[in-house]
Amino acid sequence: MKLGFLTACLPDRSLPEIAAWAAEHAYEALEVAAWPDLGARPFTATHLDAAGFTDREADATRTLFDRHGLTLSSLAFYDNNLHPDPDERRAVNEHVAACIDAAALVGCPTVGTFVGRHPGQSVAENLAEAEKVFAPLVDRAGEKGVKLIIENCVMEGWHPDGYPGNLAYSPELWEWMFSIGLYLNYDPSHLVWMGIDPVEALRPYVDRIPHAQAKDIQLFPEKRNRYGWPGKAVVREDPFDVGWWRYRVPGLGDVDWATVVDTLYEGGFDGVLSVEHEDPVWGGTEDKVHTGLEVAHRTLRPLIVA
């Protein structure tokens, strides 16, 4: 197992700058943000231009990672592959395909995305549609030796009423994903607020998890008593603000990281555990983001066998 982080937390830094900082601070891998240019959208960045990626850029990227002794663990493009607008959906699907091609070119083993959801359709209708949408992407990935991984993020802000906007939030849905050739990018934080034990949910599926993310979560049960599980309903200015929990860097929330890492080891996981930094306390400035990454490293590094 290696310890890395997702580069999206440093959107204004170049990949060479991030790689140098990561190596200097004893990280071993990077999950590289590969969104297209979407403007100022939170938690997105473009550190690798998948749509315009060439053999020359692949060589330069490999040289950069080799120079710093880093592993390129995954290309990250987390967007709605079932977007209700046909043009938006097509653009997302096509960029996932571009990420698969870029990953194959540079020798990266995985590409991460979301299933997504059409909020105007039932879950059953969405799953039937997803099987058609993902079939060519799974085939393309298989042909190129790349695994297409889905993060179990709930993406509640994509649904007008705060219900799950990414149909990958439970083991039941993971089994459906596996049946169509997708893999899981396991993140325990989302399971905690869904009321799912992140360790018991993890244990049976480690062999379908080639990559994992490390994000923590801090719960405020007294606020849940006011809003209920779906969160704020009357006044919700930020669609992702449910009002009774917040993400934290590992070590500052409610996830039992020693047990999570031990369960990954017990199941034979030998991939990258990648810190996904979305902590509002240790965010807002680059210095704070760096501090948050250092806190995460101090929490997780002692748990990972050298």
Side-chain angles (χ1 to χ4, degrees):
M1 197 185 306
K2 292 182 179 180
L3 182 59
F5 67 86
L6 172 57
T7 65
C9 60
L10 294 165
D12 297 324
R13 289 296 173 184
S14 69
L15 187 56
E17 289 173 323
I18 294 172
W21 187 92
E24 182 182 347
H25 291 81
Y27 274 96
E28 301 162 293
L30 291 175
E31 180 184 4
V32 175
W35 277 263
D37 185 4
L38 298 171
R41 269 177 55 175
F43 306 120
T44 68
T46 308
H47 292 128
L48 185 147
D49 178 13
F53 205 59
T54 65
D55 286 320
R56 183 177 179 178
E57 288 168 322
D59 288 341
T61 302
R62 282 192 295 270
T63 298
L64 172 68
F65 275 71
D66 288 345
R67 182 166 70 247
H68 292 292
L70 296 170
T71 295
L72 202 174
S73 66
S74 191
L75 298 187
F77 170 55
Y78 290 93
D79 214 319
N80 190 353
N81 279 281
L82 300 180
H83 198 288
D85 181 274
D87 292 334
E88 286 283 340
R89 180 186 296 193
R90 188 179 310 108
V92 172
N93 300 162
E94 289 176 353
H95 195 72
V96 172
C99 286
I100 292 169
D101 293 347
L105 203 58
V106 76
C108 177
T110 66
V111 167
T113 191
F114 289 142
V115 172
R117 180 178 189 167
H118 186 315
Q121 296 180 344
S122 70
V123 171
E125 289 169 330
N126 270 278
L127 296 185
E129 191 67 21
E131 291 180 7
K132 293 185 288 186
V133 167
F134 278 96
L137 296 173
V138 168
D139 287 346
R140 190 187 198 108
E143 290 167 2
K144 293 180 176 288
V146 174
K147 291 179 178 177
L148 196 55
I149 59 174
I150 305 293
E151 184 192 347
N152 55 289
C153 183
V154 184
M155 293 307 291
E156 63 284 351
W158 280 354
H159 193 284
D161 295 317
Y163 301 130
N166 173 39
L167 297 177
Y169 55 84
S170 68
E172 178 189 24
L173 287 163
W174 301 350
E175 291 177 358
W176 163 79
M177 286 170 13
F178 302 153
S179 76
I180 64 170
L182 298 168
Y183 293 81
L184 176 63
N185 190 11
Y186 166 82
D187 183 333
S189 65
H190 309 296
L191 296 166
V192 174
W193 80 269
M194 293 289 288
I196 299 171
D197 185 319
V199 173
E200 292 307 309
L202 166 64
R203 202 179 302 280
Y205 304 111
V206 177
D207 65 339
R208 299 294 295 182
I209 300 173
H211 191 275
Q213 288 183 328
K215 185 162 73 261
D216 216 327
I217 186 168
Q218 184 178 18
L219 305 183
F220 302 97
E222 72 282 1
K223 295 182 179 180
R224 184 178 56 206
N225 289 338
R226 171 174 172 79
Y227 298 120
W229 173 85
K232 294 178 179 179
V234 178
V235 179
R236 190 166 175 164
E237 296 176 358
D238 179 349
F240 287 97
D241 178 18
V242 302
W244 64 270
W245 56 263
R246 63 183 179 180
Y247 293 129
R248 303 304 309 270
V249 292
L252 300 180
D254 296 333
V255 173
D256 179 354
W257 289 104
T259 306
V260 166
V261 172
D262 186 57
T263 302
L264 286 168
Y265 271 125
E266 185 178 3
F269 180 81
D270 62 357
V272 169
L273 181 60
S274 177
V275 175
E276 185 182 19
H277 186 339
E278 296 180 357
D279 188 321
V281 177
W282 292 110
T285 69
E286 285 189 5
D287 284 345
K288 285 187 174 182
V289 169
H290 285 152
T291 299
L293 289 171
E294 291 174 19
V295 171
H297 189 280
R298 288 199 299 269
T299 298
L300 297 172
R301 180 67 258 178
L303 305 176
I304 297 174
V305 178

